[in-house]
Amino acid sequence: MGDFLLSIENLGVSYPGTVGLFSNKRIPILKDISLSVKKGETLGIVGESGSGKTTLGRSIVRLIPIDMGRISFEHCCISELSEDAFLPYRRKIQMVFQDPFDSLNPKMTIEQILEEPLAIHFPQLSRFKRRRRMLNLLDRVKLPKTYLKHYPDALSGGQRQRIGIARALAVEPEILICDEPVSALDVSIQAAIMNLLKDLQAELKLTYLFISHDMAIVRYISDAVAVMQNGRIIEQGSVESIYKNPRKDYTKQLLAAVPRL
Ligand SMILES: Nc1ncnc2c1ncn2[C@@H]1O[C@H](COP(=O)(O)OP(=O)(O)OP(=O)(O)O)[C@@H](O)[C@H]1O
Ligand SMILES: [Mg+2]
């Protein structure tokens, strides 16, 4: 497996059919997905809406059950672990979600939001140490310490996504699965968040699985890219090879649709 941190082999995921006659029939969503992410690198996942990008990210962290295939992390087949045995990997594999307006509980202060994962994964930490960690986290995502007392609705979209990132980092993960982390933000703020993610990756030696429909953003952050269409990976390779010599028409169309490139 080389120096891969995360490897997926022949992953299959389906959703239950919803209506009438078809209620027992499952609808295949991810079909025979295989990919690997090298430690310290970013694998970008691109594809049109509905191609299965979110389903892929969520199935890795068990928000969606898998039907077949294997997911390995640090050479351990984590898809076969019991829920208890999986707990350490819940810490190591964190998600950053698309919509910072939805993903933070409006009734919790930033302090409570950041404290929750610490209480779960580091229950032995004293209150003092926990607080020091939370202040460090705010520092890392370049927000003032006073924000601990705020509620999410006092923050802008970009600031909320910084909290989403801080919450993911609170438990010292190895890999972040970023699912369209800047799609809900103004273009002017997107660049600042992308730069932050890039800086954090270098500082903390993080590995990223970076999901986006925006080919320009994926190019900026990725070392390798996998192109998804209709639940399959139709093409994958280094950023250079995908952006300079795309083989599939679908990839060419995705690239042609981005004037900013
Ligand atoms: N809970 C669900 N039940 C049934 N089908 C679902 C469910 N969630 C997603 N799907 C279907 O699975 C397919 C893949 O959806 P998914 O959200 O993974 O795509 P995506 O690539 O993330 O799209 P987008 O770019 O719009 O976020 C779609 O056809 C979608 O309709
Ligand atoms: Mg999605």
Side-chain angles (χ1 to χ4, degrees):
M1 246 198 307
D3 53 350
F4 293 121
L5 186 66
L6 176 74
S7 290
I8 295 175
E9 292 161 79
N10 312 111
L11 180 71
V13 170
S14 61
Y15 286 124
T18 43
V19 277
L21 281 176
F22 300 105
S23 55
N24 287 327
K25 205 172 160 186
R26 296 189 66 88
I27 301 163
I29 302 290
L30 298 185
K31 302 149 200 163
D32 202 21
I33 299 264
S34 295
L35 56 80
S36 299
V37 196
K38 278 194 186 148
K39 198 169 167 58
E41 293 200 345
T42 300
L43 175 68
I45 306 283
V46 296
E48 66 193 348
S49 183
S51 57
K53 306 181 296 297
T54 293
T55 304
L56 172 62
R58 290 179 175 236
S59 62
I60 295 168
V61 293
R62 293 195 176 188
L63 287 171
I64 298 169
I66 71 171
D67 295 338
M68 57 186 102
R70 291 161 59 90
I71 303 172
S72 304
F73 189 87
E74 292 171 332
H75 306 281
C76 168
C77 181
I78 57 170
S79 51
E80 280 163 18
L81 296 176
S82 68
E83 202 43 50
D84 280 352
F86 186 70
L87 188 65
Y89 296 95
R90 280 207 185 285
R91 178 182 76 70
K92 291 177 189 210
I93 309 171
Q94 290 291 310
M95 283 204 75
V96 176
F97 297 96
Q98 169 169 359
D99 196 341
F101 294 89
D102 276 355
S103 62
L104 303 178
N105 185 339
K107 295 198 176 117
M108 287 164 81
T109 62
I110 302 306
E111 179 164 9
Q112 290 168 325
I113 288 170
L114 295 180
E115 199 162 23
E116 196 173 51
L118 290 176
I120 294 171
H121 291 284
F122 301 109
Q124 74 286 3
L125 278 184
S126 66
R127 266 210 78 189
F128 174 76
K129 284 193 174 157
R130 240 188 268 172
R131 202 179 151 78
R132 200 169 58 188
R133 264 197 202 212
M134 291 190 278
L135 293 173
N136 271 336
L137 285 165
L138 286 181
D139 215 39
R140 280 222 180 275
V141 298
K142 316 239 171 357
L143 289 176
K145 294 179 174 32
T146 49
Y147 276 41
L148 278 189
K149 293 280 158 260
H150 289 341
Y151 287 88
D153 65 5
L155 275 55
S156 70
Q159 289 171 334
R160 281 185 225 201
Q161 195 54 294
R162 286 174 195 267
I163 296 297
I165 294 167
R167 178 178 57 183
L169 294 179
V171 295
E172 299 176 348
E174 309 259 335
I175 184 167
L176 291 189
I177 299 175
C178 302
D179 187 0
E180 307 261 12
V182 299
S183 308
L185 304 174
D186 274 11
V187 175
S188 58
I189 297 162
Q190 287 185 347
I193 299 291
M194 290 307 297
N195 285 333
L196 175 68
L197 284 170
K198 223 171 175 174
D199 291 347
L200 289 169
Q201 180 167 41
E203 283 164 30
L204 302 171
K205 308 211 177 347
L206 288 165
T207 305
Y208 289 160
L209 188 72
F210 193 92
I211 296 169
S212 177
H213 63 274
D214 187 322
M215 296 294 283
I217 284 175
V218 166
R219 182 182 204 170
Y220 173 73
I221 194 140
S222 303
D223 300 283
V225 179
V227 183
M228 280 185 73
Q229 182 186 24
N230 208 355
R232 293 182 190 278
I233 291 179
I234 55 155
E235 178 162 14
Q236 57 183 318
S238 68
V239 168
E240 289 79 34
S241 66
I242 297 287
Y243 283 75
K244 294 205 176 117
N245 296 307
R247 284 181 293 114
K248 297 281 196 239
D249 286 342
Y250 179 75
T251 311
K252 289 176 191 165
Q253 282 163 19
L254 289 177
L255 287 166
V258 188
R260 282 197 281 153
L261 270 178

